[in-house]
Amino acid sequence: MRFWLAAALLLPVSAHAQAGWDLQRVHREVAAIAFDPARFFETDSEFRDLIRIRYVGDDRNWPVYSIVIRDACNGRPAEQCSQGRIARMVRAPVPPQGAERPRWRGSALVIGLTGKGIRSRSDLVNALDGARLDWVEADLTTCPGAMAQLAKARDAQWVLPELVSPQPADSIELVIHADTVRVEFRSHLRRSIYDGRIAEKSPGQWAAELARTLEPCWKPASAPPPWRLPPKAVD
């Protein structure tokens, strides 16, 4: 078993790093400017958010990846935009020691940035530019299996059966230190939000499977990365 990430959290940072933001500040700022899916598009003129996804690792909520899915015109008349779907994703890079567990991407990213002695938002933006994050997009209508996986969201189990129909005590499942997924489905005057572990049949499992389906279809995004966008009011 590898302990390098856990050990890194316990070791004192260098004097240079101590002069900058601490681990918690870097973690918070990275999540806010790089992994907030509300920042993935500069304008709302041709697109609107339909689904926002955030995958975080362990109880510390290490940022692993975030995805947003929107309607896409892509040359269609405005009234036909809802026939297309486009996705964008930010994902922490694979660390040199590997990433058998997704959370290692996020912990290595935050710990590595903390060691750079970041003192300002500008420092963080420049450090993120050199951190090798994935900033990619995909057209779901041309990605094999993507639209079919998208449709499976309607089959997700939002409520645990035992919450409304008590089960035998020995059926209780104990889960600790799990990676979690926040999935938000958005429409006019409606928000459906799942925030929890990747349980069987849950929206979290659906979102993780969607990410796997999109994996071969990602290409570099042409737009500026979210950490390069100015702060803006988001809903």
Side-chain angles (χ1 to χ4, degrees):
M1 182 179 295
R2 298 180 180 178
F3 296 98
W4 68 276
L5 287 176
L9 289 173
L10 299 176
L11 292 174
V13 295
S14 66
H16 178 66
Q18 288 177 342
W21 291 353
D22 63 14
L23 183 75
Q24 289 73 27
R25 177 72 184 275
V26 173
H27 189 172
R28 183 171 65 251
E29 295 286 342
V30 167
I33 71 171
F35 286 85
D36 180 358
R39 295 174 54 82
F40 286 10
F41 287 88
E42 294 181 82
T43 70
D44 293 322
S45 59
E46 291 188 275
F47 304 93
R48 65 181 181 86
D49 288 4
L50 299 174
I51 303 169
R52 294 174 179 174
I53 299 168
R54 282 199 194 204
Y55 185 115
V56 296
D58 198 11
D59 300 344
R60 293 178 178 269
N61 294 329
W62 299 117
V64 177
Y65 66 75
S66 294
I67 296 173
V68 67
I69 297 173
R70 287 195 172 195
D71 282 340
C73 290
N74 291 344
R76 301 181 181 90
E79 63 274 11
Q80 297 180 13
C81 290
S82 62
Q83 296 179 19
R85 297 288 186 272
I86 188 170
R88 282 184 178 169
M89 177 180 72
V90 163
R91 180 169 54 187
V94 175
Q97 291 81 356
E100 287 87 347
R101 304 184 73 177
R103 66 181 65 174
W104 292 359
R105 288 176 176 260
S107 56
L109 173 66
V110 174
I111 293 167
L113 291 171
T114 303
K116 294 184 179 297
I118 292 169
R119 299 175 178 84
S120 67
R121 178 68 66 89
S122 178
D123 285 348
L124 179 59
V125 168
N126 291 332
L128 285 167
D129 283 342
R132 301 181 296 106
L133 279 76
D134 293 327
W135 169 231
V136 291
E137 61 188 8
D139 185 340
L140 272 67
T141 61
T142 60
C143 183
M147 294 299 286
Q149 178 60 30
L150 192 66
K152 290 181 181 179
R154 58 183 172 228
D155 300 323
Q157 182 183 85
W158 286 83
V159 179
L160 289 173
E162 55 264 34
L163 293 179
V164 292
S165 178
Q167 304 293 311
D170 60 3
S171 69
I172 296 175
E173 184 178 9
L174 180 63
V175 179
I176 58 174
H177 305 301
D179 291 358
T180 61
V181 179
R182 177 184 170 92
V183 186
E184 180 181 0
F185 294 86
R186 303 162 54 86
S187 59
H188 182 60
L189 296 179
R190 295 186 65 176
R191 298 289 186 272
S192 300
I193 299 173
Y194 174 89
D195 194 348
R197 67 184 180 89
I198 307 171
E200 184 178 0
K201 299 181 181 179
S202 71
Q205 184 185 57
W206 168 84
E209 290 176 354
L210 177 66
R212 285 192 288 271
T213 301
L214 291 174
E215 187 61 34
C217 302
W218 296 119
K219 62 181 181 180
S222 56
W227 58 89
R228 276 288 170 187
L229 298 181
K232 64 178 181 178
V234 295
D235 58 347

